[in-house]
Amino acid sequence: MKIIVLVKQVPGTDSVKLDPVTGVMVRTGKDTIINPLDENALAEAIRIKNTYPDVKITAVSMGPISAMKAIKEAIAMGADDGVLVSGREFAGSDTIATAKVIAAAIKKTGDFDMILCGERATDGETGQTAAMIAHYLGVPAQTYVSALEVLEDGVIVKRTVESGFERVQVTFPVLVSVNKDISDTGFPTLDGKLKAKKVDVPMLGNAELGFDKSELGLTGSPTRVVKIFSPKLSRDTIMVKANATMQPIDELLSFLVQKDVL
């Protein structure tokens, strides 16, 4: 069985920044982590590998060259190899352009049985890319998955829905986006770190994928961030400090009367 795990390198929660001119996420190699839900997807892939024979895990990421760090971390935690999709022509891609490129890169890796990824990324929070990748690959997608059972020719997934849960059986190949309940995240091992240093991770650019430049980056992205602003707080806080039991209550009642609440 071949499992593709999508790992996205994202800024730490306190480091998310947008370019005020282009509306594009600012991505550097500093203060970056693997998207937490992608780590859950990787942990589930490793669980499957440790449970069933002949399972190969390939980590795939799209981003700047610094995203190689995410691939290496995935290998250190248990992936067998990886592929990085990188190039200036991909910068500024929205979810549609990103899904097209990642789907094309997955096709370059050959046949697969299952794609695992997080249901969303902490930087964009759209939750759209996984289903779009499945569309461009022509495979079924199962989203919000909290448990997974491998069968001979497919999987049974437990999906979180508004009314509770539902179980769905689907044949391979399939894309599964997971939530945090799927598996506990793991840690790199010493053997894994040594392997990650030795593994040669290929990079794919548009020369290998063959898109028209009009389909890529900002030009190929039909969605735009049209305005960026910080919300202004219009409320003031009034702090009343007193030792007497009734004084704060009297102050509060007086304030509510002034505001015509009482």
Side-chain angles (χ1 to χ4, degrees):
M1 178 191 299
K2 180 178 177 180
I3 301 175
I4 302 287
V5 179
L6 304 182
V7 291
K8 184 178 184 181
Q9 188 180 56
V10 298
T13 304
D14 296 332
S15 305
V16 177
K17 297 180 181 178
L18 294 175
D19 186 311
V21 177
T22 64
V24 173
M25 196 78 63
V26 177
R27 303 184 188 278
T28 66
K30 298 180 180 179
D31 300 324
T32 55
I33 59 173
I34 293 179
N35 179 51
L37 287 172
D38 292 342
E39 284 193 319
N40 291 111
L42 177 60
E44 178 64 9
I46 294 169
R47 182 194 70 81
I48 295 171
K49 179 181 177 180
N50 292 336
T51 306
Y52 300 93
D54 301 323
V55 175
K56 179 183 179 183
I57 302 172
T58 298
V60 175
S61 186
M62 174 179 169
I65 295 177
S66 60
M68 183 66 76
K69 174 186 174 185
I71 297 289
K72 293 286 189 176
E73 287 182 8
I75 294 172
M77 285 190 281
D80 295 289
D81 56 20
V83 174
L84 175 62
V85 184
S86 186
R88 294 184 62 85
E89 61 269 30
F90 304 134
S93 296
D94 68 354
T95 53
I96 296 174
T98 297
K100 286 181 180 179
V101 171
I102 293 177
I106 290 173
K107 289 179 181 178
K108 285 285 185 180
T109 69
D111 294 336
F112 63 89
D113 296 289
M114 182 163 48
I115 300 171
L116 287 172
C117 61
E119 67 181 53
R120 55 185 168 77
T122 56
D123 52 1
E125 294 282 354
T126 64
Q128 299 170 347
T129 308
M132 290 180 180
I133 291 171
H135 167 74
Y136 288 119
L137 289 172
V139 302
Q142 295 297 319
T143 56
Y144 304 105
V145 172
S146 59
L148 185 153
E149 178 186 350
V150 176
L151 306 176
E152 184 176 345
D153 61 346
V155 291
I156 297 175
V157 299
K158 179 183 178 183
R159 299 186 63 243
T160 303
V161 295
E162 290 184 2
S163 57
F165 301 97
E166 67 178 21
R167 293 188 181 276
V168 181
Q169 182 173 338
V170 59
T171 57
F172 295 135
V174 61
L175 182 146
V176 177
S177 68
V178 306
N179 61 30
K180 62 182 179 61
D181 296 325
I182 189 77
S183 284
D184 293 329
T185 56
F187 298 94
T189 64
L190 177 59
D191 289 341
K193 288 184 176 181
L194 293 175
K195 177 182 178 180
K197 289 184 177 181
K198 297 178 181 178
V199 171
D200 183 23
V201 177
M203 290 180 54
L204 298 179
N206 195 41
E208 291 77 23
L209 300 181
F211 285 98
D212 187 283
K213 289 186 178 180
S214 64
E215 300 178 79
L216 304 174
L218 284 173
T219 304
S221 298
T223 56
R224 293 283 193 280
V225 177
V226 297
K227 185 178 181 181
I228 300 172
F229 65 94
S230 297
K232 294 181 180 180
L233 298 177
S234 59
R235 296 179 180 178
D236 295 326
T237 300
I238 300 174
M239 182 70 71
V240 177
K241 295 182 178 180
N243 292 325
T245 303
M246 292 303 298
Q247 183 179 343
I249 297 175
D250 292 338
E251 292 278 357
L252 176 59
L253 290 173
S254 175
F255 174 78
L256 294 176
V257 169
Q258 292 175 17
K259 296 297 182 181
D260 292 328
V261 176
L262 295 179

